[in-house]
Amino acid sequence: MNNSKNKKIVFIPGLGERARNYDRLSKYMKVYDIDWNKIRLLKGKIDILIGFSMGAALACEYAENHKIDTVILCSLTPCIETLETLKAKEIIFIVGEKEKWAYKNNLRLTKTLKCKRRIVVVPGADHKIDKNYRNKILEIIRACS
């Protein structure tokens, strides 16, 4: 769950997914086992918050009310209009190379941010956390430590 610097890292899965879908990530961070029929946001301090797809939208909602060092938005669903109210020091967007719609949306959202931000493209990836996508997430969280 925590890396060598004892940062609390939490991952929120995408719509309809559960923690068991992300066993490989659970070695490096806490994977939030969300009940999509009864959504409850996380509690407590989180240093690095990662969300995938609709889980990225929930990460944004959490970051509106809690200070976070880094928010990593993976393949963020296009339901977000602005990110100007997020209380994060840094926002990192991760998008698959084949997700042209997500890249375009993320580019638009970067213009609403006042904090440090960047977009990372995973070569060959689409809207799924495969091995390359997972490795890119792990590379980024190591760099944030």
Side-chain angles (χ1 to χ4, degrees):
M1 173 167 83
N2 294 336
N3 62 19
S4 60
K5 299 225 181 195
N6 292 325
K7 291 199 175 211
K8 185 172 182 185
I9 304 169
V10 176
F11 177 88
I12 304 173
L15 182 64
E17 297 178 323
R18 301 298 297 259
R20 66 181 171 269
N21 300 113
Y22 293 95
D23 287 343
R24 292 186 177 159
L25 281 179
S26 66
K27 298 173 189 171
Y28 307 97
M29 64 197 70
K30 175 170 181 25
V31 178
Y32 186 60
D33 196 24
I34 189 163
D35 179 350
W36 287 99
N37 294 312
K38 203 182 317 177
I39 298 172
R40 291 197 175 110
L41 288 180
L42 306 151
K43 294 183 180 182
K45 179 165 176 13
I46 299 169
D47 298 298
I48 300 173
L49 181 58
I50 307 161
F52 173 68
S53 192
M54 194 60 169
L58 290 180
C60 291
E61 190 173 335
Y62 180 87
E64 286 181 335
N65 300 305
H66 301 85
K67 290 182 182 178
I68 300 177
D69 289 338
T70 305
V71 177
I72 301 173
L73 304 173
C74 303
S75 301
L76 175 64
T77 187
C79 66
I80 305 292
E81 290 300 316
T82 182
L83 298 176
E84 65 187 336
T85 59
L86 269 56
K87 297 177 181 176
K89 292 179 184 175
E90 179 179 26
I91 308 284
I92 301 170
F93 298 90
I94 303 178
V95 62
E97 179 181 34
K98 297 176 182 177
E99 296 181 285
K100 304 292 185 201
W101 58 271
Y103 181 82
K104 185 177 176 182
N105 186 54
N106 293 343
L107 196 57
R108 177 186 64 79
L109 288 171
T110 61
K111 296 173 185 169
T112 69
L113 292 167
K114 295 178 180 120
C115 64
K116 187 176 172 185
R117 69 234 181 233
R118 63 186 160 123
I119 299 174
V120 176
V121 177
V122 181
D126 57 16
H127 196 75
K128 180 172 91 173
I129 297 188
D130 61 10
K131 181 180 177 184
N132 290 339
Y133 207 126
R134 184 176 56 252
N135 288 341
K136 185 56 72 177
I137 292 169
L138 295 174
E139 175 187 317
I140 290 169
I141 62 170
R142 277 192 295 272
C144 292
S145 303

